[in-house]
Amino acid sequence: QVQLVESGGGSVQAGGSLRLSCAVSGNTYSVNCKGWFRQAPGKEREWVAGINTGVGTAGYDDSVKGRFTISQDNAKTTVYLQMNSLNSEDTAKYYCAARQGAYCSRVGRPDDYKYWGQGTQVTVSS
């Protein structure tokens, strides 16, 4: 089993920044893909970014490319999502997720991810 706990959400004005953290514990060697998803009210959960924790390759949805950065600490027990130039369309609940598999940096489907955190709310006001 793998446990994921997100933190770092909050309220920010448009143009501001936030950094989300995802603490990973348990059988961490059983997963090599970590991703961030988000879900706004009335919308489907969507993939935002993903990283292969073994080789460090990362990928982003076009809507956040150039503004968000996914990274991990040296121990590979924490995954971060640095979010800059936030706008109202970024308002959502953000989830950290993990799985074992390939193509970690490509657009992911929620059903592909086995482990999920409880989510952290990000609200951007204009």
PDB file of all heavy atoms in Angstrom, residues 62-77:
ATOM      1  N   ASP A  62      -1.190  21.033 -21.541  1.00  0.00           N
ATOM      2  CA  ASP A  62      -0.943  22.289 -22.251  1.00  0.00           C
ATOM      3  C   ASP A  62      -1.439  23.503 -21.468  1.00  0.00           C
ATOM      4  O   ASP A  62      -0.882  24.595 -21.590  1.00  0.00           O
ATOM      5  CB  ASP A  62      -1.607  22.256 -23.627  1.00  0.00           C
ATOM      6  CG  ASP A  62      -0.871  21.367 -24.608  1.00  0.00           C
ATOM      7  OD1 ASP A  62       0.300  21.003 -24.341  1.00  0.00           O
ATOM      8  OD2 ASP A  62      -1.459  21.025 -25.650  1.00  0.00           O
ATOM      9  N   SER A  63      -2.478  23.329 -20.673  1.00  0.00           N
ATOM     10  CA  SER A  63      -3.065  24.461 -19.953  1.00  0.00           C
ATOM     11  C   SER A  63      -2.153  25.011 -18.854  1.00  0.00           C
ATOM     12  O   SER A  63      -2.344  26.137 -18.395  1.00  0.00           O
ATOM     13  CB  SER A  63      -4.410  24.061 -19.358  1.00  0.00           C
ATOM     14  OG  SER A  63      -4.243  23.063 -18.361  1.00  0.00           O
ATOM     15  N   VAL A  64      -1.169  24.214 -18.429  1.00  0.00           N
ATOM     16  CA  VAL A  64      -0.301  24.658 -17.339  1.00  0.00           C
ATOM     17  C   VAL A  64       1.162  24.720 -17.759  1.00  0.00           C
ATOM     18  O   VAL A  64       2.014  25.159 -16.975  1.00  0.00           O
ATOM     19  CB  VAL A  64      -0.437  23.745 -16.109  1.00  0.00           C
ATOM     20  CG1 VAL A  64      -1.904  23.659 -15.679  1.00  0.00           C
ATOM     21  CG2 VAL A  64       0.140  22.369 -16.365  1.00  0.00           C
ATOM     22  N   LYS A  65       1.452  24.295 -18.971  1.00  0.00           N
ATOM     23  CA  LYS A  65       2.833  24.246 -19.429  1.00  0.00           C
ATOM     24  C   LYS A  65       3.453  25.634 -19.376  1.00  0.00           C
ATOM     25  O   LYS A  65       2.848  26.617 -19.829  1.00  0.00           O
ATOM     26  CB  LYS A  65       2.882  23.681 -20.848  1.00  0.00           C
ATOM     27  CG  LYS A  65       4.223  23.157 -21.287  1.00  0.00           C
ATOM     28  CD  LYS A  65       4.099  22.426 -22.614  1.00  0.00           C
ATOM     29  CE  LYS A  65       3.300  21.155 -22.492  1.00  0.00           C
ATOM     30  NZ  LYS A  65       3.217  20.401 -23.771  1.00  0.00           N
ATOM     31  N   GLY A  66       4.638  25.734 -18.801  1.00  0.00           N
ATOM     32  CA  GLY A  66       5.314  27.020 -18.668  1.00  0.00           C
ATOM     33  C   GLY A  66       4.966  27.760 -17.390  1.00  0.00           C
ATOM     34  O   GLY A  66       5.625  28.742 -17.036  1.00  0.00           O
ATOM     35  N   ARG A  67       3.921  27.295 -16.690  1.00  0.00           N
ATOM     36  CA  ARG A  67       3.527  27.953 -15.435  1.00  0.00           C
ATOM     37  C   ARG A  67       3.710  27.037 -14.232  1.00  0.00           C
ATOM     38  O   ARG A  67       4.018  27.504 -13.140  1.00  0.00           O
ATOM     39  CB  ARG A  67       2.059  28.369 -15.500  1.00  0.00           C
ATOM     40  CG  ARG A  67       1.748  29.356 -16.611  1.00  0.00           C
ATOM     41  CD  ARG A  67       0.319  29.880 -16.485  1.00  0.00           C
ATOM     42  NE  ARG A  67      -0.694  28.831 -16.612  1.00  0.00           N
ATOM     43  CZ  ARG A  67      -1.608  28.561 -15.682  1.00  0.00           C
ATOM     44  NH1 ARG A  67      -1.661  29.258 -14.568  1.00  0.00           N
ATOM     45  NH2 ARG A  67      -2.497  27.585 -15.873  1.00  0.00           N
ATOM     46  N   PHE A  68       3.502  25.740 -14.419  1.00  0.00           N
ATOM     47  CA  PHE A  68       3.604  24.768 -13.331  1.00  0.00           C
ATOM     48  C   PHE A  68       4.858  23.926 -13.513  1.00  0.00           C
ATOM     49  O   PHE A  68       5.282  23.639 -14.638  1.00  0.00           O
ATOM     50  CB  PHE A  68       2.393  23.835 -13.319  1.00  0.00           C
ATOM     51  CG  PHE A  68       1.091  24.473 -12.912  1.00  0.00           C
ATOM     52  CD1 PHE A  68       0.927  25.835 -12.817  1.00  0.00           C
ATOM     53  CD2 PHE A  68      -0.016  23.673 -12.632  1.00  0.00           C
ATOM     54  CE1 PHE A  68      -0.272  26.411 -12.439  1.00  0.00           C
ATOM     55  CE2 PHE A  68      -1.225  24.219 -12.257  1.00  0.00           C
ATOM     56  CZ  PHE A  68      -1.353  25.591 -12.169  1.00  0.00           C
ATOM     57  N   THR A  69       5.415  23.502 -12.387  1.00  0.00           N
ATOM     58  CA  THR A  69       6.580  22.621 -12.411  1.00  0.00           C
ATOM     59  C   THR A  69       6.389  21.514 -11.388  1.00  0.00           C
ATOM     60  O   THR A  69       6.150  21.791 -10.206  1.00  0.00           O
ATOM     61  CB  THR A  69       7.872  23.388 -12.088  1.00  0.00           C
ATOM     62  OG1 THR A  69       8.038  24.470 -13.012  1.00  0.00           O
ATOM     63  CG2 THR A  69       9.070  22.456 -12.189  1.00  0.00           C
ATOM     64  N   ILE A  70       6.514  20.274 -11.838  1.00  0.00           N
ATOM     65  CA  ILE A  70       6.455  19.121 -10.936  1.00  0.00           C
ATOM     66  C   ILE A  70       7.889  18.692 -10.634  1.00  0.00           C
ATOM     67  O   ILE A  70       8.748  18.687 -11.514  1.00  0.00           O
ATOM     68  CB  ILE A  70       5.626  17.969 -11.551  1.00  0.00           C
ATOM     69  CG1 ILE A  70       5.421  16.844 -10.538  1.00  0.00           C
ATOM     70  CG2 ILE A  70       6.260  17.445 -12.834  1.00  0.00           C
ATOM     71  CD1 ILE A  70       4.432  15.773 -11.015  1.00  0.00           C
ATOM     72  N   SER A  71       8.139  18.349  -9.384  1.00  0.00           N
ATOM     73  CA  SER A  71       9.485  17.933  -8.992  1.00  0.00           C
ATOM     74  C   SER A  71       9.385  16.996  -7.793  1.00  0.00           C
ATOM     75  O   SER A  71       8.302  16.770  -7.260  1.00  0.00           O
ATOM     76  CB  SER A  71      10.351  19.153  -8.655  1.00  0.00           C
ATOM     77  OG  SER A  71       9.812  19.852  -7.542  1.00  0.00           O
ATOM     78  N   GLN A  72      10.513  16.463  -7.394  1.00  0.00           N
ATOM     79  CA  GLN A  72      10.540  15.577  -6.235  1.00  0.00           C
ATOM     80  C   GLN A  72      11.789  15.851  -5.430  1.00  0.00           C
ATOM     81  O   GLN A  72      12.772  16.392  -5.937  1.00  0.00           O
ATOM     82  CB  GLN A  72      10.507  14.112  -6.686  1.00  0.00           C
ATOM     83  CG  GLN A  72      11.669  13.698  -7.564  1.00  0.00           C
ATOM     84  CD  GLN A  72      11.559  12.264  -8.035  1.00  0.00           C
ATOM     85  OE1 GLN A  72      10.735  11.492  -7.579  1.00  0.00           O
ATOM     86  NE2 GLN A  72      12.421  11.891  -8.979  1.00  0.00           N
ATOM     87  N   ASP A  73      11.772  15.464  -4.171  1.00  0.00           N
ATOM     88  CA  ASP A  73      12.958  15.629  -3.350  1.00  0.00           C
ATOM     89  C   ASP A  73      13.918  14.475  -3.604  1.00  0.00           C
ATOM     90  O   ASP A  73      13.582  13.504  -4.285  1.00  0.00           O
ATOM     91  CB  ASP A  73      12.576  15.715  -1.871  1.00  0.00           C
ATOM     92  CG  ASP A  73      11.989  14.417  -1.325  1.00  0.00           C
ATOM     93  OD1 ASP A  73      11.610  13.536  -2.122  1.00  0.00           O
ATOM     94  OD2 ASP A  73      11.903  14.291  -0.095  1.00  0.00           O
ATOM     95  N   ASN A  74      15.133  14.596  -3.082  1.00  0.00           N
ATOM     96  CA  ASN A  74      16.166  13.593  -3.356  1.00  0.00           C
ATOM     97  C   ASN A  74      15.774  12.212  -2.831  1.00  0.00           C
ATOM     98  O   ASN A  74      16.151  11.193  -3.411  1.00  0.00           O
ATOM     99  CB  ASN A  74      17.486  14.032  -2.740  1.00  0.00           C
ATOM    100  CG  ASN A  74      18.099  15.206  -3.477  1.00  0.00           C
ATOM    101  OD1 ASN A  74      17.810  15.432  -4.651  1.00  0.00           O
ATOM    102  ND2 ASN A  74      18.934  15.969  -2.785  1.00  0.00           N
ATOM    103  N   ALA A  75      15.027  12.179  -1.756  1.00  0.00           N
ATOM    104  CA  ALA A  75      14.621  10.891  -1.192  1.00  0.00           C
ATOM    105  C   ALA A  75      13.434  10.287  -1.931  1.00  0.00           C
ATOM    106  O   ALA A  75      13.061   9.139  -1.669  1.00  0.00           O
ATOM    107  CB  ALA A  75      14.267  11.070   0.284  1.00  0.00           C
ATOM    108  N   LYS A  76      12.855  11.073  -2.845  1.00  0.00           N
ATOM    109  CA  LYS A  76      11.707  10.616  -3.644  1.00  0.00           C
ATOM    110  C   LYS A  76      10.510  10.274  -2.768  1.00  0.00           C
ATOM    111  O   LYS A  76       9.695   9.410  -3.126  1.00  0.00           O
ATOM    112  CB  LYS A  76      12.092   9.437  -4.541  1.00  0.00           C
ATOM    113  CG  LYS A  76      13.218   9.764  -5.499  1.00  0.00           C
ATOM    114  CD  LYS A  76      13.625   8.558  -6.337  1.00  0.00           C
ATOM    115  CE  LYS A  76      14.794   8.915  -7.232  1.00  0.00           C
ATOM    116  NZ  LYS A  76      15.244   7.772  -8.054  1.00  0.00           N
ATOM    117  N   THR A  77      10.409  10.959  -1.637  1.00  0.00           N
ATOM    118  CA  THR A  77       9.268  10.732  -0.756  1.00  0.00           C
ATOM    119  C   THR A  77       8.298  11.902  -0.752  1.00  0.00           C
ATOM    120  O   THR A  77       7.257  11.842  -0.107  1.00  0.00           O
ATOM    121  CB  THR A  77       9.743  10.471   0.684  1.00  0.00           C
ATOM    122  OG1 THR A  77      10.526  11.587   1.119  1.00  0.00           O
ATOM    123  CG2 THR A  77      10.569   9.196   0.759  1.00  0.00           C
TER     124      THR A  77
END
